[in-house]
Structures are given as C-alpha cells and as structure tokens.
Amino acid sequence: MHSMSKRYRRSLITAGAIMGVMLLAGCSGAAGAGNSAAPDGEAAAFPNGDIRFVIPYSAGGPTDVTARALAPCLGDALDTNVIAENITGGSGSVGLQDMISKPADGQTLAIVSPGMVALSPIANGLDYSREDVSSVGVISYSYSPMVLVVGEDSPYSSGEEFFAAAEEAPATLTVGVSGASTPQAIELQRLADEYNVEVIVVPFDGSAGAITALLGGHVDSVFVNDQEDVVQRIGSGDFTALAVSSPERQAHLPDTPTLVELGYDDLTLAVTIYALAAPAGMPDDVVATLSDALEECLSNPETVSAIGENYILPEYQTGEEFDGFLSEAEKVYTRILGS
Amino acid sequence: MLDGLFIGFGVALDPINLLYVFVGVVIGTAIGVLPGLGPTATIALLLPLTYALDPATAIIMLAGIYYGSMYGGTITSVLLRMPGEAASVVTTFDGYQMAKQGRAGPALGIAAIGSFIGGIVSVIGLAIFAPMLADAALAFGPVAMVALMVLGLLLVTSLGMGSSWKALVMATVGLLLATVGQDQISGMPRFNFGSASLLDGFDFVAIAMGLFGVGEILHNLEQGGHLNKIAKKVTKIMPTRDDAKRSAMPIVRGSLLGFFIGILPGGGGVLSSLASYALEKRVAKHPERFGKGAIEGVAGPETANNASSTSAFVPLLVLGIPSNVVLALIFGALLIQGITPGPSLIPNHPEIFWGVVASMVIGNTMLLILNMPMVGVFVQLLRVPMGILVTFAIAIVLIGTYSIANDPFDIWLVLGFGILGWLMKRTGFDPGPLVLAFVLGPILEASVRQSLLISGGDFTVFIGDPIAITIYTLIAVGIAFATIRRFTKGRPSVLEQARNIPPVTGLIELVRSRRDAKTRTTTDASADAAAYTATGEGEHADSTSKQ
C-alpha cells in the first residue's frame, strides 16, 4: 500500500511536470532570443552573461541527451546559465554553422561529433571545415558497435562464409544500413575499396526500416547498431550475428568475431565521439577555463550517470586530442568521398 | 482475447492511467491545432519525463498524444485551411469549403464522430487480428511499396480539384520539390545551392502552411474580408440528420480502409485519408460535389486517418517495427523502459499491449466528449474580426515553422510558398496534389532505388512481387472500369444528376458540365440555398469579375 501511494505521487508530479514543459516549450523561443549578451572589448571577463549551447540534433536523441546532461553542470562550474538550444537539420551542419557564425568569445558553444565537423562538409560540399571549429575537450565516447546480422533462413552462418561468398560473387549480396552517409555505410565502402570485398549497400530511413526489410527477406543482411532489439533477436535465433565492428569482441556476443579478426584490420572507425566546441580563434584562456569546467563536470557523479558511465573515458581528453582524431577521420573521409 | 481485454481495462481504468490518457489526448489536440509543434516534436520533448512512469502508463500517454493530434489537425484545416500535418491536407478540400458555407460545425462534428468510430473499429481490429496481420505487413518490401506509391500518386492526380491536367502539373511540381535535399541513397546533396538549411530538403510544414494557410490568407485579403461574411452564416453546430445519413457509409469504409493501410510499414496517415477521399468520390452519386463542401469528403478521410494511426500500433507492438517517426519515438520509450517490442511482447507483457489497446478505447471516448462541446467554441473563432484573426494566424504559422528547427530560413520559406499559394489560387491551381505528391515522392524514390539496388539494376523486379502485381492489377481494372463507364454512361449520368437536384441548380450543373473549367462563369451561386452549392464556383466568379 505504501509503495502504491508513492507511485501515485511520483506519477502526479510527473504529470504536473509534463504540463509545465508544454507551457515552457511555448516560451523557449523567446528565451533563446533574449540571451545575446553584447560581447565587446577583449578585457571583458569570461563568462559574460548567459552561454548559448547549440545542440545540432533534435530533442530526445543521443546527442541531445548528452548535451542536456552536461549543460547544468557547466553552468554551475562557470557560474552562469548554459542555455541549450536545438538547431537541427543537415546532419548537424545547420546548428554547427550557426555556432561558427558567432563571435569566438566562448559565449556560444556546441556539442559536436566527427560526423558533423569532418564528414558532413566533405560529403555535402558545405563551405566550412574543421578549421572553423576550436575543440574544447572530449565529452563522451559511444562505443555502441555495429553488428552484421543475417536472418533465420540465411545460407550463411558465419562471417567467413558470408565474406567468402561476397568475394566469389562481387556485388550480389545486399546489406541494409540505416542511412546513406552513416559510419556503417562508409565502413562498407571501405570494405570494397581497401579489401576488395564488394557488397550492395541498401540505405533505409533508419535502422528500423533495414531490420524490417531483413525480417521480410528483402535484403540478405543488415549492418546496424547492436541496439537492444537486435541483440534480443540474435538471442531468440531470428537473427544470426556474423561480425561486430568494435576492436574487441562484445561481452554480450562472445561468439561473434570482430571484423579485425576476420582480416579487416582497419575497419574500426565506426564510433561516435561527442566533444565540446566553440568557433575557431577563441582566446587561449577562455579555452582553458572551458576545458577545466568540462573536466570538472566529467567527474561530477550526477552528470556522469546521466551521460552513462560506460561512455566517459577514465582519463580526460583535451581538445587537441579530439583534433587528432578529427584529422585521422578527415583523411579517411577525403580519400573515400574525394574532395 | 477476452482475458486480454479484461487485463487491459484493469490497467487502463487505473486512476493514474486515466489521468495520463487524458493528459495525452489534451496535449495531442492542442499540438494538432498549433502548426509546427507536431506529435514528433512533442513526444521527443516529453520522452525524458516518461522514464519515471510505469511502461504502460508512458505508452498510454504517448499514444494519446499521437491520436489526439490527428484530431487537432482537423480543426485548423477546416476553419483556416491550415493543415498542421500531412494527413489533414485532404480534409481541407471539403472541410474548408463547408466552413465557408457556414457549416464548420457539422464538418468538425462529423470529423469527431468519424474519428471516434474509426478509432474504435481499429482498436477492435487490433485486438482480434494483430498477430496475424503483423506477418502480412512484413511481406511489404520495397517493390510492393513502389506499387503502393504509384497507386497513391494516381489517386492524388484523380482528386480532381478543377482540371486534371492542372492536378498533374501540381503533382509533378510536388515530386520535383521533394528531390531537394540529401539524396537518400548516395547521401549527395541535391539542389541545395551550398545551403545547409536545404540539406534536409523543404520542410512539409513550411510548404503546407505556406501554400494553404498563408496563400489563403493573402487571397482573402484581396477579396476584402471574405471570412467575415461566412462567420455570420454559422448557424447549426451539430451535423443534421441528412449529414449523418450521408456520412454513415463513408465512415464505415474509412474505418476499414484506414485500419488496413495503417498496418503497412511506412504507409500511415496520408495514404489512408487520400485513399478514402478517392474512394468516396468514386462511389458517390454526385462526384462533382466533392471539393465544394461535400460532408462525405470530410467524414471518410478523417475516419480513415484516425483508424490508421491506431492500427499503426500493430507492427510496433507485435513485430517491434515502428512504421513512422512518431512510433519510432514510442519504440525508443519502450526500449528505455527495458521492454523490447516484438513477438514476445504480448506473452511477456500483456499489461502493456492490452493496457494500451484498452486505453485507446477510453482515449477516443474522451476525445469525442471533449471535442463535441468544443466544436461550438472553435467555430466562434470565425467571428473574430478578419484583421485580428489573420494577424494571429500568420504569427502562429511563422512561430510554428521557426520552432521546428530554430532556423530563420524556414520563415522565408513559408512566406515564399505563401505568395506562390496565392498565385496558384488566382490561376486556379490547387495546392492539394502538390503537397500530397511532395509527401509520397521521397517514399517512391527510396523504394524504387532500393528495389533496383536489390535486383542489381533489373527492372523486371517491379513486376516480380505478388503484392505489387495485385496492386497493379487493381489499378488497371480501376482505370479500365472508369474509362468504360465514361464512354457508355457518361452522358446519361449527367442528365440523371441534373434530375436529382433542384431545377435551377440542375440546369447550371448541366450547362457547366458541358463547358471547360476556365469558361465557367456561373450566375450567382450565393443565391443557391442547396447545401452543396458550389461556393468554389462563386468564388471563381468573384475573381474573374475582378480581372
């Protein structure tokens, strides 16, 4: 009975909160517009008023969740308000360009990933590059690897068999992926370019579409994130896992070899890294202040649990280290996509 | 199944769940009315707050938002010709014309009743057929999808607002507009002129709000406060006995059509309302009344789109396959709760499946009870002086469009499409086919290219799928039937129509039918008392007399 009433109370509070959010949503536009503090004069102390934190993806996604977990702590550490704002579109490039266009004074920040900073401008011919961004530090790594799976009735029961068949008859086996310029699609392109194993990549709108097509027998395999539903279908025998894209085997798929084990040593680029960034040319002391604040937040238990403990590195990585990864990624993407 | 429903109502009637289904449908209706803030954005926004709830409660609320928004979208479509989401576009055809004739009340009333019945039929279908139908939905691969989209596009061009070549031109423009943005297969940007804002293509809301809403407002201003004149005519709020009689069969057909189309992956709202409208027009004794305020054109599609938003839960809950973006978010909500939708959901979590099903019955009832008395209130909106109403409408459209991506570019886009919409109105082009083709185009393109990738470029793949063959056969039979009927019964049916309607109108109809659409300069349509008077024509006369 006690737990029942507790549940009721909790639910009622949430109901109130939901109504509140709906009201706030109406005002959020106004809040976003109101914080353009005039940042003139180099002597101005940082932070000078509220900080605007651009999230280039929509509310509810992993980028949004990570950024919103970080924002309140950053605000506390810098003794100001960090106001998150979703500016979406163009695989993150609309929000990123908004951030780049603002003064490099630390008052405008953004959460970025290698996809937005290094891949998008090359793939989509946009007129910005990673040179327009100054990296503050790495927030988190998402080590959710990709897994190559086939359906129940597939003639292939192992990665060796699948890739042998692909080599024997190039461009016959179809592999569904969740989108055209996703890391999975790029990795499959590299499989053809660097290892001469050619499969037909069939992009769908999101991984659900690809999985539906596999269930209906419309594609031979899919190469998707090893999210919960995929893992469960592997467990139930609907799907057979052939390979994972992480450098090491996954604890929940101990019998599934990595692509490295199958002989494709370099195919480990499909990871998501989130970093804190600002427009290029930010004063060094502002970068240092922001970096310290970020490092502090990444040891704050509340922030850590909200982002997900497994995704945060034990050792803080600075902006320079992130830049190193970006230039690696940029090289690979330029080679594949040309520029 | 009875056991299941028993468990379900046990869950759904829990006071907390009753509260949440109420919260869901109220929020849903509200966001349906506001352009821009659709169910996708709202559910994304509320998702983190649902973590604290029981899984069943969370899904009950999110589902309520989804089907609630389907009804909310109707209100602005009928009153202001502003379809907030794709499924409501079809409702503007006859719903707005009804509003102009002072019959906004019956239009909204019948939409509420139809939505309720559609929802309930779909829930019953969900309870009985869910497991069987889910497997059938899987058979719909890219090839079958191509056939379905071909059917959809044919329906778009046969809606027949005005001349069919104009509809064809508009549908083509819609398809072309849909090509702007990132190529879905290669990822290359198309026609974006280096702009990141155009990488994702045009936003549906910007196009629909611009062409329909802003375009209509500009047109009204030109006509000198047309809306005010209508408002005075608003008399009856409830549908009449005649309305109910006319709507009965469309609602029955819409329920069934909506239920089956909703199950298909990627099908959903637009296709169901479109198919229902086309069907009603096809079976109607007087198809020429469509587009001029025929209540069947509101009852059928509104029923169908609510039925389909309910049955869309079949693939989600039974197979773990979300058939559109909104359901993908609900799928995410379930995953976060540690529950994987899929074949094991019903046996392992009967309280979720049956609870959600039962809550839909309750939610749909609440929507009906909430909305019927509100119809009168909504209709009063039309009494607001034109200057004030238009100002608010434009402000809400601009804010709503901006709020989708917080990108100022979209504001210019909606204004640009507004001017285009006004020009189209002046020249007799209907935006309906354009907007609908714009929605169907990307699905068609992706399916065609996926099919060709899978077949290795072999075009025979398109006729190698049993479902596709069935659909193409239906299309062929439909076209053949229509052609034969036109040649054999064409003339007598016009005479017959003339016989069935009051003499004066009948004469006008007869004369009109023999003329080209362009030369239609009717006498005074406003003098006509008949419910289905061609207000569209009267308006046409207005604008031609001004030229």
Side-chain angles (χ1 to χ4, degrees), chain A:
Chain A
M1 202 54 220
H2 175 70
S3 71
M4 199 63 176
S5 71
K6 204 170 151 193
R7 181 191 147 225
Y8 271 47
R9 211 174 53 201
R10 195 186 58 188
S11 301
L12 282 168
I13 290 168
T14 309
I18 286 168
M19 287 303 201
V21 165
M22 292 310 294
L23 282 173
L24 281 175
C27 313
S28 68
N35 67 66
S36 53
D40 54 335
E42 58 269 40
F46 175 79
N48 177 18
D50 293 349
I51 289 178
R52 196 165 152 260
F53 189 22
V54 175
I55 306 171
Y57 277 96
S58 54
T63 313
D64 181 67
V65 168
T66 307
R68 286 183 192 274
L70 182 65
C73 175
L74 268 188
D76 288 347
L78 297 168
D79 200 21
T80 182
N81 294 314
V82 173
I83 297 168
E85 187 179 341
N86 301 80
I87 300 183
T88 58
S91 308
S93 45
V94 174
L96 191 63
Q97 284 190 331
D98 179 281
M99 186 271 281
I100 289 171
S101 72
K102 297 293 182 293
D105 55 5
Q107 297 299 132
T108 309
L109 304 173
I111 181 170
V112 301
S113 70
M116 296 175 215
V117 185
L119 176 57
S120 267
I122 302 170
N124 301 321
L126 298 173
D127 51 1
Y128 69 85
S129 75
R130 67 180 192 86
E131 306 296 329
D132 296 316
V133 176
S134 34
S135 312
V136 173
V138 171
I139 302 169
S140 63
Y141 271 61
S142 150
Y143 264 124
S144 166
M146 309 300 158
V147 55
L148 179 71
V149 298
V150 291
E152 213 171 357
D153 307 323
S154 174
Y156 315 107
S157 55
S158 72
E160 283 91 350
E161 286 175 29
F162 184 86
F163 288 116
E167 266 182 280
E168 205 161 293
T172 50
L173 288 174
T174 52
V175 185
V177 294
S178 63
S181 40
T182 53
Q184 302 92 294
I186 302 257
E187 293 289 273
L188 290 171
Q189 181 63 45
R190 292 177 68 201
L191 187 67
D193 290 353
E194 295 169 25
Y195 299 97
N196 230 352
V197 179
E198 207 179 329
V199 292
I200 299 175
V201 181
V202 187
F204 287 86
D205 188 15
S207 55
I211 292 167
T212 312
L214 180 63
L215 284 171
H218 307 291
V219 290
D220 298 316
S221 62
V222 293
F223 191 38
V224 291
N225 269 316
D226 75 336
Q227 55 214 20
E228 189 50 37
D229 59 317
V230 176
V231 172
Q232 218 173 75
R233 285 191 202 278
I234 294 168
S236 72
D238 285 348
F239 287 170
T240 308
L242 301 183
V244 290
S245 71
S246 49
E248 307 290 332
R249 287 193 184 204
Q250 292 294 304
H252 55 269
L253 297 170
D255 302 327
T256 309
T258 64
L259 286 172
V260 176
E261 285 176 64
L262 292 169
Y264 312 110
D265 295 349
D266 291 335
L267 298 188
T268 55
L269 208 64
V271 293
T272 301
I273 305 176
Y274 290 121
L276 185 65
M282 209 163 47
D284 288 344
D285 58 327
V286 177
V287 176
T289 310
L290 282 168
S291 182
D292 290 347
L294 176 61
E295 188 172 1
E296 191 186 318
C297 285
L298 294 180
S299 57
N300 176 330
E302 234 172 273
T303 312
V304 170
S305 80
I307 294 176
E309 206 171 340
N310 299 335
Y311 301 137
I312 294 175
L313 295 177
E315 194 93 348
Y316 175 68
Q317 286 193 337
T318 62
E320 276 166 38
E321 286 167 276
F322 182 64
D323 284 338
F325 186 91
L326 284 183
S327 76
E328 264 319 285
E330 195 179 48
K331 263 186 240 155
V332 173
Y333 295 142
T334 311
R335 194 172 69 233
I336 294 168
L337 300 162
S339 76

